[in-house]
Amino acid sequence: MREVLTNPVSGYYVHNDMLGAEGDFITSPEISQIFGELLGIWCVSEWMAAGKPKEFQLVEFGPGRGSLTSDVLRVLKQLKSVMGESAVSVHLVEVSPKLSEVQAQSLTGEDSQAADNENDPVYRRGTTNTGHPVYWYRGMEDVPRGFSIYLAHEFFDALPIHKFQKTDKGWREMLIDIDPQVANKLRFVLAPSATLASSTLLQADEEREHVEVCPEGGVLVQRLTNRISEDGGAALIADYGHAGDKTDTFRGFRGHKLHDVLVAPGTADLTADVDFRYLRRMTDERVLSFGPITQQQFLRNMGIDVRLQVLLRSCTDSSTRKQLVQGFDMMMNPEKMGERFKFFALVPHSRIAVQTRGKKAEQKGAAAPPVSGFSELGL
């Protein structure tokens, strides 16, 4: 899965612009500006709850075409009176050189430069259209320490997974092999005996017959946990996902349609639903975790209905009004994205009152409250 997506020679993410109507899939930030605006409000809310630190790092993992970051920065600019003199910087974690160029064009116009040394942890830098410094990295470990708000929208689902099947002889890892009967064809097989992964990644009390585990996702959450607990900040993860109850979710997408993951590797996106119960376990309760809740619930909590009405009242173009309504339906309709996507947040224990810690905080299943006076955005 890692090779198919990020191989430097033929990886899917390395050489393709896969987003949008002409690509293989489309994401909420490309569907409607409202999505990014509401996440921008969430970011400002967490910054305010932390006491308005003077340094504010906005970090996004896998920023696509830069649409989400662009919308968030527009909110920060609109709320300049709230942000005051806070020094905002943008830090993008992106493995695709192709997409980093698209992001740079969207966020900076012509005001970005690639690093002279390919070993430089900051491989591209520039200044956004809103006047903020922006930097590109290949991994989170290169992002500077400090108060940060982390956004990961449709990022964790692309991290490589291990698949396991329960058998009469115990757990066996599902591997990929060459089909001996058909030329140039791959097939799934079960390992004949226990592997290192099947011996270490599964929980003793696991009741499912088939399990997918994403250790890289677990490591990333551990790193986020360390940074949030030590430096402050918060993380918002939005993705296809479940609360530890789904089984076989590994699939491919090509041209907006399901695609066999074993056919023509490198030409289609590969994804697996995020196990949020596993991610919560990886925090070891060093931070508070909220959710997962549905996209519909999160956006409604953040005031999407009010925001849509504000935009419709200020819009006279019938085509634009239609696009706003259609985008709202795509994001909120339970049969479309409304319930398929989940939101999961990590915040420091200092974020909320003592009585909501631990299990009670998890059971609330709500994202942190939005900034008051949302209508003041006036976007």
Side-chain angles (χ1 to χ4, degrees), residues 8-148:
V9 176
S10 55
Y12 174 77
Y13 287 148
V14 176
H15 297 290
N16 292 286
D17 179 4
M18 69 296 294
L19 293 163
E22 301 302 317
D24 294 321
F25 57 89
I26 192 167
T27 61
S28 292
E30 274 77 43
I31 291 173
S32 174
Q33 69 180 72
I34 302 177
F35 184 86
E37 291 170 355
L38 295 179
L39 266 63
I41 293 297
W42 187 88
C43 293
V44 175
S45 173
E46 292 307 311
W47 171 77
M48 293 177 68
K52 300 182 179 181
K54 293 184 178 180
E55 303 285 334
F56 180 155
Q57 294 189 159
L58 175 64
V59 183
E60 186 180 0
F61 297 94
R65 287 183 171 175
S67 301
L68 176 56
T69 290
S70 179
D71 290 338
V72 171
L73 290 178
R74 188 173 66 253
V75 169
L76 299 186
K77 182 179 180 180
Q78 196 72 23
L79 294 178
K80 192 171 183 180
S81 60
V82 176
M83 300 300 297
E85 299 302 314
S86 177
V88 177
S89 56
V90 182
H91 305 264
L92 304 178
V93 179
E94 177 57 72
V95 299
S96 169
K98 173 76 172 179
L99 281 178
S100 75
E101 294 175 3
V102 175
Q103 295 152 14
Q105 184 63 37
S106 172
L107 293 170
T108 75
E110 301 299 327
D111 195 5
S112 75
Q113 309 82 38
D116 294 330
N117 184 349
E118 64 178 18
N119 295 320
D120 191 332
V122 181
Y123 70 86
R124 181 180 293 275
R125 66 184 68 215
T127 302
T128 70
N129 301 323
T130 52
H132 300 103
V134 56
Y135 309 91
W136 278 263
Y137 313 84
R138 296 176 183 85
M140 178 186 175
E141 61 276 8
D142 295 324
V143 177
R145 299 294 296 250
F147 179 89
S148 303

Side-chain angles (χ1 to χ4, degrees), residues 90-267:
V90 182
H91 305 264
L92 304 178
V93 179
E94 177 57 72
V95 299
S96 169
K98 173 76 172 179
L99 281 178
S100 75
E101 294 175 3
V102 175
Q103 295 152 14
Q105 184 63 37
S106 172
L107 293 170
T108 75
E110 301 299 327
D111 195 5
S112 75
Q113 309 82 38
D116 294 330
N117 184 349
E118 64 178 18
N119 295 320
D120 191 332
V122 181
Y123 70 86
R124 181 180 293 275
R125 66 184 68 215
T127 302
T128 70
N129 301 323
T130 52
H132 300 103
V134 56
Y135 309 91
W136 278 263
Y137 313 84
R138 296 176 183 85
M140 178 186 175
E141 61 276 8
D142 295 324
V143 177
R145 299 294 296 250
F147 179 89
S148 303
I149 301 295
Y150 301 92
L151 300 177
H153 179 258
E154 291 199 51
F155 178 79
F156 276 77
D157 70 290
L159 297 178
I161 60 167
H162 290 266
K163 291 172 71 69
F164 305 101
Q165 181 69 44
K166 185 179 289 186
T167 72
D168 295 339
K169 298 179 181 179
W171 285 100
R172 292 292 182 264
E173 184 170 7
M174 185 172 286
L175 306 173
I176 295 173
D177 187 21
I178 296 172
D179 192 327
Q181 306 298 326
V182 184
N184 300 316
K185 189 173 185 293
L186 299 174
R187 63 172 182 169
F188 285 112
V189 296
L190 287 180
S193 58
T195 62
L196 178 62
S198 65
S199 302
T200 58
L201 295 179
L202 290 162
Q203 294 296 300
D205 59 352
E206 181 58 64
E207 296 181 353
R208 288 171 290 175
E209 299 290 317
H210 187 97
V211 179
E212 297 167 338
V213 180
C214 178
E216 285 193 23
V219 170
L220 180 53
V221 163
Q222 289 176 332
R223 290 175 175 170
L224 287 170
T225 295
N226 291 338
R227 292 205 176 197
I228 291 171
S229 62
E230 296 172 11
D231 304 329
L236 187 63
I237 300 170
D239 227 314
Y240 294 102
H242 57 92
D245 53 343
K246 287 191 177 181
T247 55
D248 186 9
T249 71
F250 185 38
R251 59 200 182 278
F253 284 100
R254 183 176 179 181
H256 299 270
K257 296 180 180 179
L258 284 172
H259 178 83
D260 188 330
V261 296
L262 299 184
V263 173
T267 66

